[in-house]
Amino acid sequence: MAALSAANSRAGTPSGTPAKKKGSAGGKVSGTATPSKQRGMDQQQLDISGLNLNSEPAAVIVEEPPPKLSFAREALLQEAKRAIEVSDRTGKKGVSIIVIGHVDAGKSTLMGRLLYDLGRLDEKTKRANERGSTNAGKSSFSWAWGLDGTLEERERGITMDIAMQSLTTPHRQITVLDAPGHKDFIPNMISGASQADCALLVIDSAVGEFESGFERGGQTREHLLLVRSLGVSQVIVAVNKLDQVEWSKARYDEIVGLIKPFLLQSGFHSSKTSFVPVGAYEGVNLLSLSDGTELKAWYSGPTLVDLLDKLEPPARDVDSPLRIPIANVFKGQGQGAAVSGRILSGVVQVGEKLRVLPGDESGIVKSIEVEEENVSWAAAGSNVNIQLTSIDPVNLIVGSVLCPPTDLVPLATSFVARVIVFDIQVPITAGSSIEVYHHSRDVPATTTKLLATLDRSNGKVIKANPRVVAKGASAELQLTLRSTAVSGAQSVVRGIPMEPFSANKDMGRILIRRGGETIAAGIVLEITR
Amino acid sequence: MPSQEGAGDQNPSGGMPAASLHISGPVIRENQYVRMGAYHTLDIEPNRDVRIEKLEGWDSVARSRVEEAIVPGRGAEVAAVVCGEGTAAFCLLSQHMTIVPHRISMSIPRKAAAAGTSQHEKGLGKFYAQIFESFLRHIPYNAPSLRAIVIASPGWIRDAVFDYLSAEALKRGDKPLQKALKEKVLKVHISSAHVHSLVEVLKSPEVSHQLKEAKFAKEGIALDRFFKMLGSDENRAWYGPDHVRLASERGAIGTLLISDDLFRSSDPATRKKYVAMVEAVQSKGGEVIMFSSMHESGQQLNQLTGIAAILTFPLDVEVVEAEEKEEEEERKRREQAEADAES
């Protein structure tokens, strides 16, 4: 880790500027300046006194001093840029990838096997999973159990939520997000996809299975459209379960022939797509393809790891203000709570004060973890775990956004979006009840106004104020979040943190779903309220 | 008797069904008890005779509303628990309204390699326990009028919730709850855990079969039919007051979907316009479904301008509008000509 060592060696050297920051961020020093935090402490004391832990009160109540800031912001920015440059030249580039595909295509199995082959899953766990899955009568799920950790997932043999793992190839440090394939868990899949740079599409090549995943309503199509709309442009297509069709080249070519035009049509450039035949369960063509196998007879191209090793991380937006949408909140070590998520833009360092939006609370970064290693700072593009102190965990909610107190994300309850409508049965009317997905959050909303239908190629207005927007169209819509109250007093709708696409690309992408079907994807043009 | 329209002041005891209604206003016809022009407040309560007259008489819509309201059988007919991972909304649906007496929203740590799955499972356990407590408190599962208890969710949370409720009822030896769970619970799949998925609940075959007669079930089905028609034949599904009026004038309306919100307009002319439209459709043999805006389906219709129609034969909006414009011009020309002739 060149970046890490560089950061550590510099830690503490510039002492003038951070001292000032420390004062403003410190819980004890300036407690009166921020009443909300003061309240948090009182609450804590109350809670503790309620527990009757009077034996060592002093030890419990004293708040630990906030960690020192090691860099001034400008110095940190330069440091981050330099580190990224260095890692681009010599070290391993970090890239995150989401594994997508129809339910039961073998996504989790493929990742489980890959983790084992790369030495990330130890022998003991592997044995335990094999034993456990055989006992449960589901021996074919043994690899998937490496990622499907919860009881229910194992019982049903289905991934229900994103599993995050990391693996290392010769030139890349890869964060893997294993997505659920079942259509009911698409919200979770969207939450994962918004944290990824590239996609790995897994396809079940068994007769009938590929077809059912690829036809209308299959997840192969929907997932591809979703990741593309969320800004993923590189995709590796792993054609799996070829062992079930006797490693037939004809079948492989047929599948590739069908997927290729669809990828093009969905907006993936052909130079950024690649195909690889694999047998996940047996581990064929993941790391290497041994001689004498049936696949070797007709395939001599790259293996899956070869392709993963060539993924190009997109440009990172280090200069923009910090934005971290929270994807998970859990109890970390010590006080406060841990959150995980992806840094969309900017840099974050230990000791920094971060505001949680929506809400009035802020917390202090106690530690940052990237790829299971503690670091003193992290920059855009990293998937991080952050331990926050001086904040009540109830104020940390999945879907909220962390940002610097000086550069807040606007909260939107009504906005204009330019969308592309997918292949839908029922057209979109003014007043349709829809759900808006933005990172890990989904909220009910209404299309208050259909502003215009646009020409897909040049963006010119075809018709202003159309009555309906039909499938395949591009349109500008006015969307308004709905109050969730059905009857009684209309409650106030809380805005969600969101920015126009022009201000921050990753904060300006939305997906629109209705009745369990993704109907449109687009970008936020303007926040109106 | 004082008979001036006044501000209806609902009893402030929110939540509970109002037991009385205050009506206030100046007296416009004096009698021996009240003076002319004095402000007076009347309490309207159950079991007290009252006669409310309107200068021009009550319209058909208002009268049919009253007819509907005096049908016996009160209280919630269906209870629904709409849940997702970490969220649950308890809903009670009665003839004319949906209320959401309680919501749960807690954050459950998602599964994560770093933290293991134990936090996730602990969180889920707490969530189910909270659902159980709220279920006991907010769902009148014993009431005989309650016909069904719907547990709806995407994924399999509804199964897990139901299993937890049953197991807990068994553990506590709560016989009535066990019975209610066995006889009344329907598990329904919905696509998202928001309250607006109630519409999906109502149109699901399990529920709509049980509740064929219930008004709110009819509303959900009609709205669904409208959207389907919009998808298959745009020219037979119209919405918006102006468009629907045009369709009504051409006698094309097969089913009129109208929200009761429109009849609450403070402008009597608007109210009368809609009453006339309803009567016109009915006189031509069309079906009129009045949506209650206190239901989710009514809310959705309100979003869609509050009025929509399924036509019996296709009509092109643009063609009709063009015809209309022509007629208008024709009329103007004629008026102009007449005016010219006169002068």
Side-chain angles (χ1 to χ4, degrees), chain A residues 267-294:
Chain A
F268 290 97
H269 198 270
S270 58
S271 67
K272 291 195 168 176
T273 53
S274 43
F275 293 82
V276 59
V278 294
Y281 192 76
E282 302 294 334
V284 180
N285 206 22
L286 298 185
L287 250 66
S288 61
L289 185 56
S290 39
D291 291 323
T293 49
E294 283 168 272

PDB file of all heavy atoms in Angstrom, chain A residues 267-294:
ATOM      1  N   GLY A 267     -26.158   0.608 -24.603  1.00  0.00           N
ATOM      2  CA  GLY A 267     -25.207   1.691 -24.408  1.00  0.00           C
ATOM      3  C   GLY A 267     -23.855   1.264 -23.879  1.00  0.00           C
ATOM      4  O   GLY A 267     -23.085   2.091 -23.405  1.00  0.00           O
ATOM      5  N   PHE A 268     -23.536  -0.022 -23.936  1.00  0.00           N
ATOM      6  CA  PHE A 268     -22.190  -0.448 -23.577  1.00  0.00           C
ATOM      7  C   PHE A 268     -21.347  -0.465 -24.844  1.00  0.00           C
ATOM      8  O   PHE A 268     -21.718  -1.082 -25.839  1.00  0.00           O
ATOM      9  CB  PHE A 268     -22.197  -1.863 -22.971  1.00  0.00           C
ATOM     10  CG  PHE A 268     -22.817  -1.925 -21.613  1.00  0.00           C
ATOM     11  CD1 PHE A 268     -24.142  -2.310 -21.464  1.00  0.00           C
ATOM     12  CD2 PHE A 268     -22.086  -1.610 -20.480  1.00  0.00           C
ATOM     13  CE1 PHE A 268     -24.723  -2.374 -20.204  1.00  0.00           C
ATOM     14  CE2 PHE A 268     -22.659  -1.678 -19.222  1.00  0.00           C
ATOM     15  CZ  PHE A 268     -23.978  -2.055 -19.086  1.00  0.00           C
ATOM     16  N   HIS A 269     -20.199   0.197 -24.788  1.00  0.00           N
ATOM     17  CA  HIS A 269     -19.342   0.221 -25.963  1.00  0.00           C
ATOM     18  C   HIS A 269     -18.692  -1.145 -26.130  1.00  0.00           C
ATOM     19  O   HIS A 269     -18.297  -1.775 -25.159  1.00  0.00           O
ATOM     20  CB  HIS A 269     -18.274   1.297 -25.781  1.00  0.00           C
ATOM     21  CG  HIS A 269     -17.640   1.692 -27.067  1.00  0.00           C
ATOM     22  ND1 HIS A 269     -16.526   1.054 -27.542  1.00  0.00           N
ATOM     23  CD2 HIS A 269     -17.971   2.617 -27.978  1.00  0.00           C
ATOM     24  CE1 HIS A 269     -16.202   1.593 -28.706  1.00  0.00           C
ATOM     25  NE2 HIS A 269     -17.073   2.546 -28.989  1.00  0.00           N
ATOM     26  N   SER A 270     -18.572  -1.611 -27.401  1.00  0.00           N
ATOM     27  CA  SER A 270     -18.099  -2.988 -27.590  1.00  0.00           C
ATOM     28  C   SER A 270     -16.650  -3.151 -27.127  1.00  0.00           C
ATOM     29  O   SER A 270     -16.227  -4.247 -26.768  1.00  0.00           O
ATOM     30  CB  SER A 270     -18.254  -3.404 -29.053  1.00  0.00           C
ATOM     31  OG  SER A 270     -17.534  -2.520 -29.871  1.00  0.00           O
ATOM     32  N   SER A 271     -15.872  -2.059 -27.103  1.00  0.00           N
ATOM     33  CA  SER A 271     -14.497  -2.200 -26.640  1.00  0.00           C
ATOM     34  C   SER A 271     -14.442  -2.371 -25.121  1.00  0.00           C
ATOM     35  O   SER A 271     -13.421  -2.758 -24.570  1.00  0.00           O
ATOM     36  CB  SER A 271     -13.689  -0.967 -27.039  1.00  0.00           C
ATOM     37  OG  SER A 271     -14.168   0.148 -26.317  1.00  0.00           O
ATOM     38  N   LYS A 272     -15.551  -2.075 -24.463  1.00  0.00           N
ATOM     39  CA  LYS A 272     -15.549  -2.177 -23.003  1.00  0.00           C
ATOM     40  C   LYS A 272     -16.321  -3.394 -22.516  1.00  0.00           C
ATOM     41  O   LYS A 272     -16.654  -3.500 -21.342  1.00  0.00           O
ATOM     42  CB  LYS A 272     -16.139  -0.906 -22.402  1.00  0.00           C
ATOM     43  CG  LYS A 272     -15.229   0.288 -22.597  1.00  0.00           C
ATOM     44  CD  LYS A 272     -15.617   1.434 -21.726  1.00  0.00           C
ATOM     45  CE  LYS A 272     -14.528   2.488 -21.732  1.00  0.00           C
ATOM     46  NZ  LYS A 272     -14.904   3.657 -20.971  1.00  0.00           N
ATOM     47  N   THR A 273     -16.646  -4.277 -23.451  1.00  0.00           N
ATOM     48  CA  THR A 273     -17.319  -5.503 -23.039  1.00  0.00           C
ATOM     49  C   THR A 273     -16.433  -6.689 -23.420  1.00  0.00           C
ATOM     50  O   THR A 273     -15.740  -6.657 -24.431  1.00  0.00           O
ATOM     51  CB  THR A 273     -18.670  -5.669 -23.741  1.00  0.00           C
ATOM     52  OG1 THR A 273     -18.455  -5.555 -25.145  1.00  0.00           O
ATOM     53  CG2 THR A 273     -19.648  -4.616 -23.327  1.00  0.00           C
ATOM     54  N   SER A 274     -16.429  -7.699 -22.590  1.00  0.00           N
ATOM     55  CA  SER A 274     -15.673  -8.902 -22.928  1.00  0.00           C
ATOM     56  C   SER A 274     -16.446 -10.122 -22.467  1.00  0.00           C
ATOM     57  O   SER A 274     -17.292 -10.036 -21.567  1.00  0.00           O
ATOM     58  CB  SER A 274     -14.291  -8.858 -22.281  1.00  0.00           C
ATOM     59  OG  SER A 274     -14.393  -8.408 -20.961  1.00  0.00           O
ATOM     60  N   PHE A 275     -16.176 -11.237 -23.093  1.00  0.00           N
ATOM     61  CA  PHE A 275     -16.899 -12.469 -22.805  1.00  0.00           C
ATOM     62  C   PHE A 275     -15.920 -13.548 -22.377  1.00  0.00           C
ATOM     63  O   PHE A 275     -14.797 -13.610 -22.873  1.00  0.00           O
ATOM     64  CB  PHE A 275     -17.651 -12.948 -24.048  1.00  0.00           C
ATOM     65  CG  PHE A 275     -18.772 -12.036 -24.442  1.00  0.00           C
ATOM     66  CD1 PHE A 275     -18.517 -10.903 -25.189  1.00  0.00           C
ATOM     67  CD2 PHE A 275     -20.065 -12.298 -24.046  1.00  0.00           C
ATOM     68  CE1 PHE A 275     -19.537 -10.045 -25.538  1.00  0.00           C
ATOM     69  CE2 PHE A 275     -21.101 -11.442 -24.389  1.00  0.00           C
ATOM     70  CZ  PHE A 275     -20.835 -10.314 -25.147  1.00  0.00           C
ATOM     71  N   VAL A 276     -16.342 -14.384 -21.451  1.00  0.00           N
ATOM     72  CA  VAL A 276     -15.475 -15.477 -21.032  1.00  0.00           C
ATOM     73  C   VAL A 276     -16.343 -16.674 -20.629  1.00  0.00           C
ATOM     74  O   VAL A 276     -17.343 -16.519 -19.930  1.00  0.00           O
ATOM     75  CB  VAL A 276     -14.543 -15.024 -19.876  1.00  0.00           C
ATOM     76  CG1 VAL A 276     -15.320 -14.543 -18.681  1.00  0.00           C
ATOM     77  CG2 VAL A 276     -13.582 -16.129 -19.481  1.00  0.00           C
ATOM     78  N   PRO A 277     -16.004 -17.888 -21.146  1.00  0.00           N
ATOM     79  CA  PRO A 277     -16.740 -19.073 -20.720  1.00  0.00           C
ATOM     80  C   PRO A 277     -16.157 -19.608 -19.410  1.00  0.00           C
ATOM     81  O   PRO A 277     -14.929 -19.662 -19.279  1.00  0.00           O
ATOM     82  CB  PRO A 277     -16.499 -20.056 -21.871  1.00  0.00           C
ATOM     83  CG  PRO A 277     -15.200 -19.633 -22.483  1.00  0.00           C
ATOM     84  CD  PRO A 277     -15.004 -18.174 -22.192  1.00  0.00           C
ATOM     85  N   VAL A 278     -16.999 -19.931 -18.467  1.00  0.00           N
ATOM     86  CA  VAL A 278     -16.505 -20.469 -17.202  1.00  0.00           C
ATOM     87  C   VAL A 278     -17.383 -21.615 -16.697  1.00  0.00           C
ATOM     88  O   VAL A 278     -18.518 -21.790 -17.140  1.00  0.00           O
ATOM     89  CB  VAL A 278     -16.468 -19.396 -16.078  1.00  0.00           C
ATOM     90  CG1 VAL A 278     -15.470 -18.308 -16.374  1.00  0.00           C
ATOM     91  CG2 VAL A 278     -17.843 -18.822 -15.848  1.00  0.00           C
ATOM     92  N   GLY A 279     -16.816 -22.388 -15.798  1.00  0.00           N
ATOM     93  CA  GLY A 279     -17.575 -23.378 -15.044  1.00  0.00           C
ATOM     94  C   GLY A 279     -17.304 -23.069 -13.583  1.00  0.00           C
ATOM     95  O   GLY A 279     -16.259 -23.445 -13.049  1.00  0.00           O
ATOM     96  N   ALA A 280     -18.206 -22.294 -12.953  1.00  0.00           N
ATOM     97  CA  ALA A 280     -17.903 -21.739 -11.635  1.00  0.00           C
ATOM     98  C   ALA A 280     -17.719 -22.824 -10.582  1.00  0.00           C
ATOM     99  O   ALA A 280     -16.772 -22.790  -9.804  1.00  0.00           O
ATOM    100  CB  ALA A 280     -19.014 -20.775 -11.219  1.00  0.00           C
ATOM    101  N   TYR A 281     -18.617 -23.793 -10.568  1.00  0.00           N
ATOM    102  CA  TYR A 281     -18.598 -24.755  -9.467  1.00  0.00           C
ATOM    103  C   TYR A 281     -17.298 -25.551  -9.454  1.00  0.00           C
ATOM    104  O   TYR A 281     -16.712 -25.789  -8.407  1.00  0.00           O
ATOM    105  CB  TYR A 281     -19.811 -25.686  -9.573  1.00  0.00           C
ATOM    106  CG  TYR A 281     -20.001 -26.495  -8.323  1.00  0.00           C
ATOM    107  CD1 TYR A 281     -20.544 -25.901  -7.185  1.00  0.00           C
ATOM    108  CD2 TYR A 281     -19.633 -27.832  -8.267  1.00  0.00           C
ATOM    109  CE1 TYR A 281     -20.696 -26.621  -6.011  1.00  0.00           C
ATOM    110  CE2 TYR A 281     -19.781 -28.556  -7.103  1.00  0.00           C
ATOM    111  CZ  TYR A 281     -20.313 -27.954  -5.971  1.00  0.00           C
ATOM    112  OH  TYR A 281     -20.460 -28.660  -4.805  1.00  0.00           O
ATOM    113  N   GLU A 282     -16.847 -25.946 -10.653  1.00  0.00           N
ATOM    114  CA  GLU A 282     -15.607 -26.718 -10.741  1.00  0.00           C
ATOM    115  C   GLU A 282     -14.386 -25.797 -10.813  1.00  0.00           C
ATOM    116  O   GLU A 282     -13.248 -26.262 -10.806  1.00  0.00           O
ATOM    117  CB  GLU A 282     -15.621 -27.622 -11.981  1.00  0.00           C
ATOM    118  CG  GLU A 282     -16.797 -28.598 -12.029  1.00  0.00           C
ATOM    119  CD  GLU A 282     -16.723 -29.629 -10.904  1.00  0.00           C
ATOM    120  OE1 GLU A 282     -15.607 -29.899 -10.426  1.00  0.00           O
ATOM    121  OE2 GLU A 282     -17.798 -30.110 -10.483  1.00  0.00           O
ATOM    122  N   GLY A 283     -14.604 -24.529 -10.969  1.00  0.00           N
ATOM    123  CA  GLY A 283     -13.485 -23.594 -11.026  1.00  0.00           C
ATOM    124  C   GLY A 283     -12.772 -23.604 -12.365  1.00  0.00           C
ATOM    125  O   GLY A 283     -11.576 -23.319 -12.434  1.00  0.00           O
ATOM    126  N   VAL A 284     -13.496 -23.910 -13.436  1.00  0.00           N
ATOM    127  CA  VAL A 284     -12.870 -23.974 -14.752  1.00  0.00           C
ATOM    128  C   VAL A 284     -12.743 -22.582 -15.360  1.00  0.00           C
ATOM    129  O   VAL A 284     -13.725 -21.836 -15.415  1.00  0.00           O
ATOM    130  CB  VAL A 284     -13.697 -24.880 -15.702  1.00  0.00           C
ATOM    131  CG1 VAL A 284     -13.033 -24.944 -17.076  1.00  0.00           C
ATOM    132  CG2 VAL A 284     -13.832 -26.258 -15.120  1.00  0.00           C
ATOM    133  N   ASN A 285     -11.557 -22.238 -15.799  1.00  0.00           N
ATOM    134  CA  ASN A 285     -11.281 -20.982 -16.485  1.00  0.00           C
ATOM    135  C   ASN A 285     -11.486 -19.749 -15.599  1.00  0.00           C
ATOM    136  O   ASN A 285     -11.792 -18.683 -16.089  1.00  0.00           O
ATOM    137  CB  ASN A 285     -12.118 -20.857 -17.765  1.00  0.00           C
ATOM    138  CG  ASN A 285     -11.446 -19.943 -18.788  1.00  0.00           C
ATOM    139  OD1 ASN A 285     -10.223 -19.748 -18.730  1.00  0.00           O
ATOM    140  ND2 ASN A 285     -12.224 -19.373 -19.686  1.00  0.00           N
ATOM    141  N   LEU A 286     -11.335 -19.913 -14.297  1.00  0.00           N
ATOM    142  CA  LEU A 286     -11.386 -18.742 -13.429  1.00  0.00           C
ATOM    143  C   LEU A 286      -9.988 -18.136 -13.343  1.00  0.00           C
ATOM    144  O   LEU A 286      -9.748 -17.029 -13.783  1.00  0.00           O
ATOM    145  CB  LEU A 286     -11.900 -19.109 -12.032  1.00  0.00           C
ATOM    146  CG  LEU A 286     -13.317 -19.661 -11.955  1.00  0.00           C
ATOM    147  CD1 LEU A 286     -13.732 -19.856 -10.513  1.00  0.00           C
ATOM    148  CD2 LEU A 286     -14.311 -18.758 -12.652  1.00  0.00           C
ATOM    149  N   LEU A 287      -9.049 -18.939 -12.753  1.00  0.00           N
ATOM    150  CA  LEU A 287      -7.669 -18.475 -12.662  1.00  0.00           C
ATOM    151  C   LEU A 287      -6.884 -18.922 -13.885  1.00  0.00           C
ATOM    152  O   LEU A 287      -6.082 -18.187 -14.449  1.00  0.00           O
ATOM    153  CB  LEU A 287      -7.004 -19.072 -11.410  1.00  0.00           C
ATOM    154  CG  LEU A 287      -6.725 -18.078 -10.296  1.00  0.00           C
ATOM    155  CD1 LEU A 287      -8.035 -17.570  -9.741  1.00  0.00           C
ATOM    156  CD2 LEU A 287      -5.895 -18.746  -9.215  1.00  0.00           C
ATOM    157  N   SER A 288      -7.093 -20.179 -14.227  1.00  0.00           N
ATOM    158  CA  SER A 288      -6.320 -20.743 -15.330  1.00  0.00           C
ATOM    159  C   SER A 288      -7.155 -21.834 -15.987  1.00  0.00           C
ATOM    160  O   SER A 288      -8.136 -22.305 -15.407  1.00  0.00           O
ATOM    161  CB  SER A 288      -5.021 -21.339 -14.793  1.00  0.00           C
ATOM    162  OG  SER A 288      -5.344 -22.363 -13.871  1.00  0.00           O
ATOM    163  N   LEU A 289      -6.767 -22.199 -17.176  1.00  0.00           N
ATOM    164  CA  LEU A 289      -7.470 -23.257 -17.896  1.00  0.00           C
ATOM    165  C   LEU A 289      -6.452 -24.359 -18.133  1.00  0.00           C
ATOM    166  O   LEU A 289      -5.489 -24.182 -18.895  1.00  0.00           O
ATOM    167  CB  LEU A 289      -8.012 -22.707 -19.221  1.00  0.00           C
ATOM    168  CG  LEU A 289      -8.876 -23.646 -20.050  1.00  0.00           C
ATOM    169  CD1 LEU A 289     -10.044 -24.156 -19.230  1.00  0.00           C
ATOM    170  CD2 LEU A 289      -9.385 -22.932 -21.279  1.00  0.00           C
ATOM    171  N   SER A 290      -6.636 -25.481 -17.431  1.00  0.00           N
ATOM    172  CA  SER A 290      -5.619 -26.528 -17.560  1.00  0.00           C
ATOM    173  C   SER A 290      -5.806 -27.286 -18.870  1.00  0.00           C
ATOM    174  O   SER A 290      -6.898 -27.341 -19.437  1.00  0.00           O
ATOM    175  CB  SER A 290      -5.681 -27.465 -16.359  1.00  0.00           C
ATOM    176  OG  SER A 290      -7.023 -27.683 -16.004  1.00  0.00           O
ATOM    177  N   ASP A 291      -4.710 -27.841 -19.335  1.00  0.00           N
ATOM    178  CA  ASP A 291      -4.748 -28.608 -20.586  1.00  0.00           C
ATOM    179  C   ASP A 291      -5.617 -29.837 -20.416  1.00  0.00           C
ATOM    180  O   ASP A 291      -5.773 -30.372 -19.330  1.00  0.00           O
ATOM    181  CB  ASP A 291      -3.317 -29.024 -20.955  1.00  0.00           C
ATOM    182  CG  ASP A 291      -2.501 -27.809 -21.368  1.00  0.00           C
ATOM    183  OD1 ASP A 291      -3.081 -26.918 -22.009  1.00  0.00           O
ATOM    184  OD2 ASP A 291      -1.308 -27.735 -21.000  1.00  0.00           O
ATOM    185  N   GLY A 292      -6.143 -30.300 -21.537  1.00  0.00           N
ATOM    186  CA  GLY A 292      -6.881 -31.561 -21.519  1.00  0.00           C
ATOM    187  C   GLY A 292      -8.347 -31.395 -21.143  1.00  0.00           C
ATOM    188  O   GLY A 292      -9.128 -32.322 -21.266  1.00  0.00           O
ATOM    189  N   THR A 293      -8.766 -30.181 -20.658  1.00  0.00           N
ATOM    190  CA  THR A 293     -10.181 -30.022 -20.358  1.00  0.00           C
ATOM    191  C   THR A 293     -10.948 -29.835 -21.675  1.00  0.00           C
ATOM    192  O   THR A 293     -10.373 -29.476 -22.711  1.00  0.00           O
ATOM    193  CB  THR A 293     -10.420 -28.797 -19.463  1.00  0.00           C
ATOM    194  OG1 THR A 293      -9.717 -27.699 -20.034  1.00  0.00           O
ATOM    195  CG2 THR A 293      -9.939 -29.030 -18.058  1.00  0.00           C
ATOM    196  N   GLU A 294     -12.240 -30.061 -21.578  1.00  0.00           N
ATOM    197  CA  GLU A 294     -13.049 -29.985 -22.808  1.00  0.00           C
ATOM    198  C   GLU A 294     -13.095 -28.566 -23.364  1.00  0.00           C
ATOM    199  O   GLU A 294     -13.183 -28.350 -24.557  1.00  0.00           O
ATOM    200  CB  GLU A 294     -14.473 -30.466 -22.503  1.00  0.00           C
ATOM    201  CG  GLU A 294     -14.575 -31.964 -22.411  1.00  0.00           C
ATOM    202  CD  GLU A 294     -15.911 -32.380 -21.820  1.00  0.00           C
ATOM    203  OE1 GLU A 294     -16.003 -32.470 -20.579  1.00  0.00           O
ATOM    204  OE2 GLU A 294     -16.841 -32.617 -22.607  1.00  0.00           O
TER     205      GLU A 294
END
